[in-house]
Amino acid sequence: MCDLICHIPPAVQDLLLSILKGFAVILVIFPIAGASSMAERKVSAWIQGRYGPNRAIVPWFAYVPFVGRFLQRLGVFNLMADGGKLLFKEDPLPGHVKKFYFMLAPLVGLVPAFTTVTVVPFGAYLDRAGQVVPLMLANVDVGILAIFAVASLGIYSMILAGWASNSKYPFLGSVRASAQLVSYELSLTLSVLPVFLWVNAPGTDATLSLARVVEFQSQPGLMGGMWFIFLMPVSALIFLVALFAETNRLPFDMIESEADLVGGFHTEYGSFKWSLFFVAEYSHMVVGSAVFVLLFFGGWNPLPWLPLATLTGWLHLQDWPVVVGALSVVIFLVKVLAMIFFFMWVRWTVPRFRYDQVMKIGWQKLLPLAIGNLLFYLLVIGAIHAF
Amino acid sequence: MAVITLHRKPLTFAERTYLPQVAAGLWTTFKHLLRPKETLEYPEQRPAIPPGYRGVPALVKDPHGREKCVSCQLCEFVCPPKAIRITPGAVPADQPERTHVEKAPQEFEIDMLRCIYCGLCQEVCPEEAIFLQNQYSMTGYSRAEMVNNKEKLYALGGTRPDAHYKWDKKKAAESAGGAHH
């Protein structure tokens, strides 16, 4: 192995590693986004008393007992057929669009969606010293700030798409998108501040890293092992609501509301460019759910008051860092997928708000609540450290 | 009539937060998630056809396997979309006991691309020879394929067990001296 790698100069090694990490992101996020789109259809169908897509099958797979049939009923091959269709069907370019920006918009949407994935820790393993080491692509200390900063760039793709489409419904959709995202960004950011205030106790190294938040939730003791959902339910609620608005999911999907805007900002888009918008939307959902799980649901810790390290001790896996890593990734992914299911579940439960209601909830309800919540925890934290 | 003024009850705090409502809604949708599916998986599972259903029209034979249609062309006349074309002819020579019927369709065509399944042909038929049966799915690759000819119509219709034997009775009455049965 070393013959291959060690002769490469370190600078090139770093570059190669970055490229590999980049590919890893794309290879993980694209399938998750695709699977989410299929899950969306299946969950929608189940809630509505239907079966959902369950017919397509690759001929030779039909002969595999149980597994072939199971995958067919799950719609896995419908997903592949869908992907193939979107890749190969004709890519329409309407005559009235601003062509360069029209084609640029989906890519602009994709970049922030994929970039945020790199700073999200998705698992952890225990090193020889029994220290928990988080698994992430780029361990930057600004963590949550990087996610918020980059994720909100995604709005530029919608504005660009709406403007470049050069017709009224996409334009209205993108105007709504910018108004809505600005409104809810504030509550989103204010709702996580108490968490970081709590984590950054005086005398410790200041950090905005998400891995540290998880570490904080995996301490021993009643308070230490408590997930932030129990400690700060209002913060979690505000973050969740704002997350729905930020990812343009129902009941806040003013941007694409079919009833009044045809398709919203992507009305003029078709085939692969359209599907790129959806990959971006689903990866925003995945990253948003991941951040929510990390902040409020203990990240890769299996249960409240049961940190990963304890579970490793019980299972005698101290000498198997790879297994522990895989286990933590699985625990984390299960939580994230449960969150994504929750997104879809809410979609078929709560009807879409009116636009004025969205604005009213954002500015008159959620923002004051977030500020009040922040002040409350400021006082609480101050009181704890004063006495 | 007295005017009743209804006062809208002010919402409680819990209702104004909207959260209990969302939770109740989530519970409802979750129950739907677990409920058995309503979908009929079509080609394998077929819907039950209720009596009186108006499916593809077809010609029927009497219990003795004899043609009932006498080619009166009433159905052709009444058919609103003009889907029926009948070429009238004589009763075939190999059916001596039916020669007194005088007429039989030489060809009977129903264009299923025109048919609107209204059932007027069945209603108007004095011989009870044409029925809209249970078949609801008609497909074909060409326009010609979608025209049901006489052979196909009899294959679709088969035999119907109503034993009227109108023409037998008429013959018997005639041979007994009466003008009508």
Side-chain angles (χ1 to χ4, degrees):
Chain A
M1 198 64 182
C2 190
D3 296 343
L4 261 167
I5 297 168
C6 299
H7 298 299
I8 304 171
V12 182
Q13 267 185 32
D14 282 353
L15 187 69
L16 278 177
L17 204 61
S18 319
I19 291 173
L20 275 180
K21 282 177 173 176
F23 270 114
V25 169
I26 291 172
L27 284 180
V28 171
I29 287 298
F30 250 100
I32 287 186
S36 302
S37 74
M38 179 46 66
E40 178 100 63
R41 292 173 67 187
K42 288 302 263 190
V43 172
S44 309
W46 290 334
I47 287 179
Q48 294 165 6
R50 300 182 283 117
Y51 289 98
N54 62 358
R55 283 305 164 109
I57 190 157
V58 183
W60 51 84
F61 246 99
Y63 301 116
V64 182
F66 303 116
V67 179
R69 172 90 180 142
F70 177 72
L71 292 180
Q72 180 194 20
R73 299 297 290 180
L74 214 57
V76 169
F77 303 103
N78 281 74
L79 168 65
M80 293 177 186
D82 260 2
K85 177 202 75 176
L86 287 170
L87 200 55
F88 291 115
K89 74 186 278 194
E90 185 190 353
D91 202 348
L93 193 63
H96 55 77
V97 301
K98 299 190 167 46
K99 293 199 171 49
F100 177 71
Y101 297 106
F102 186 78
M103 297 207 271
L104 191 65
L107 298 178
V108 171
L110 216 52
V111 170
F114 280 178
T115 312
T116 44
V117 180
T118 54
V119 292
V120 175
F122 49 84
Y125 65 94
L126 273 71
D127 65 4
R128 295 266 173 239
Q131 207 67 25
V132 177
V133 183
L135 288 168
M136 59 207 293
L137 293 179
N139 196 353
V140 288
D141 202 41
V142 287
I144 187 82
L145 206 56
I147 289 175
F148 282 163
V150 179
S152 45
L153 290 179
I155 180 62
Y156 285 107
S157 109
M158 286 173 202
I159 295 175
L160 203 57
W163 176 73
S165 290
N166 203 7
S167 69
K168 58 186 167 189
Y169 291 125
F171 185 70
L172 284 173
S174 67
V175 168
R176 284 182 180 191
S178 40
Q180 179 178 319
L181 263 74
V182 167
S183 312
Y184 283 83
E185 195 83 38
L186 287 168
S187 320
L188 189 75
T189 317
L190 284 177
S191 70
V192 298
L193 280 184
V195 174
F196 284 96
L197 284 175
W198 197 278
V199 171
N200 290 308
T204 57
D205 286 340
T207 181
L208 287 173
S209 163
L210 288 165
R212 276 290 304 280
V213 178
V214 178
E215 213 176 285
F216 196 83
Q217 294 175 77
S218 32
Q219 294 171 55
L222 177 69
M223 285 301 279
M226 191 183 279
W227 291 356
F228 278 111
I229 178 80
F230 304 117
L231 208 57
M232 302 175 178
V234 180
S235 280
L237 178 74
I238 298 168
F239 188 84
L240 191 64
V241 173
L243 193 62
F244 272 79
E246 288 287 305
T247 48
N248 309 326
R249 293 289 304 185
L250 266 159
F252 294 102
D253 72 335
M254 303 314 304
I255 291 153
E256 322 164 0
S257 62
E258 305 87 2
D260 36 335
L261 288 185
V262 187
F265 69 94
H266 56 64
T267 305
E268 307 286 352
Y269 282 85
S271 81
F272 201 62
K273 288 204 284 288
W274 176 86
S275 71
L276 287 185
F277 277 122
F278 273 81
V279 171
E281 187 183 320
Y282 279 115
S283 43
H284 274 304
M285 248 168 83
V286 171
V287 173
S289 311
V291 171
F292 186 71
V293 166
L294 289 168
L295 289 179
F296 296 105
F297 276 96
W300 45 81
N301 293 321
L303 285 171
W305 297 287
L306 175 63
L308 182 70
T310 317
L311 185 74
T312 315
W314 287 353
L315 298 174
H316 303 290
L317 289 170
Q318 288 93 335
D319 300 329
W320 302 84
V322 178
V323 178
V324 175
L327 184 70
S328 70
V329 171
V330 168
I331 291 169
F332 182 63
L333 266 186
V334 166
K335 286 182 186 178
V336 170
L337 293 181
M339 271 301 294
I340 289 177
F341 168 75
F342 183 71
F343 270 90
M344 293 163 185
W345 185 13
V346 167
R347 177 180 177 181
W348 295 108
T349 303
V350 188
R352 180 182 296 133
F353 291 124
R354 241 175 18 232
Y355 187 64
D356 61 315
Q357 291 172 328
V358 169
M359 285 297 123
K360 203 174 166 185
I361 293 169
W363 288 105
Q364 295 189 354
K365 301 279 149 59
L366 223 48
L367 187 59
L369 188 63
I371 294 172
N373 179 57
L374 176 61
L375 285 177
F376 173 73
Y377 282 104
L378 271 178
L379 293 176
V380 169
I381 294 165
I384 288 175
H385 288 288
F387 305 113
Chain B
M1 209 168 93
V3 175
I4 302 168
T5 315
L6 288 178
H7 290 286
R8 186 171 286 190
K9 242 189 351 190
L11 296 175
T12 62
F13 177 74
E15 280 167 341
R16 278 192 296 143
T17 61
Y18 198 37
L19 294 175
Q21 280 69 34
V22 171
L26 283 172
W27 174 237
T28 305
T29 41
F30 191 73
K31 279 190 293 189
H32 275 272
L33 191 78
L34 301 177
R35 211 175 271 183
K37 310 282 174 273
E38 307 278 348
T39 312
L40 210 59
E41 296 203 64
Y42 169 61
E44 293 93 21
Q45 299 173 341
R46 301 290 177 126
I49 305 294
Y53 185 82
R54 300 203 303 261
V56 175
L59 291 175
V60 295
K61 295 181 172 172
D62 76 357
H64 293 313
R66 295 175 301 192
E67 194 167 28
K68 278 177 130 184
C69 177
V70 296
S71 171
C72 67
Q73 292 178 287
L74 272 176
C75 52
E76 183 175 356
F77 180 75
V78 80
C79 182
K82 298 193 192 316
I84 301 178
R85 272 287 172 280
I86 301 172
T87 316
V91 174
D94 59 340
Q95 297 172 6
E97 85 284 3
R98 287 188 69 243
T99 43
H100 66 295
V101 180
E102 292 179 6
K103 277 172 78 189
Q106 202 176 12
E107 186 49 273
F108 197 119
E109 285 179 343
I110 305 181
D111 187 347
M112 291 315 297
L113 295 174
R114 302 199 67 128
C115 178
I116 56 170
Y117 301 86
C118 62
L120 285 185
C121 47
Q122 176 180 341
E123 194 135 321
V124 82
C125 185
E127 302 293 326
E128 299 190 3
I130 187 165
F131 282 91
L132 272 72
Q133 299 198 330
N134 282 353
Q135 200 198 330
Y136 49 83
S137 152
M138 270 288 291
T139 50
Y141 287 104
S142 63
R143 283 171 178 278
E145 228 176 293
M146 295 298 286
V147 178
N148 286 341
N149 60 13
K150 190 176 148 184
E151 194 189 345
K152 233 170 165 179
L153 288 171
Y154 276 119
L156 279 173
T159 306
R160 214 172 163 86
D162 25 70
H164 298 307
Y165 306 124
K166 173 180 167 186
W167 291 96
D168 288 349
K169 284 176 188 161
K170 206 172 169 79
K171 197 176 183 182
E174 251 169 34
S175 56
H180 299 288
H181 57 274

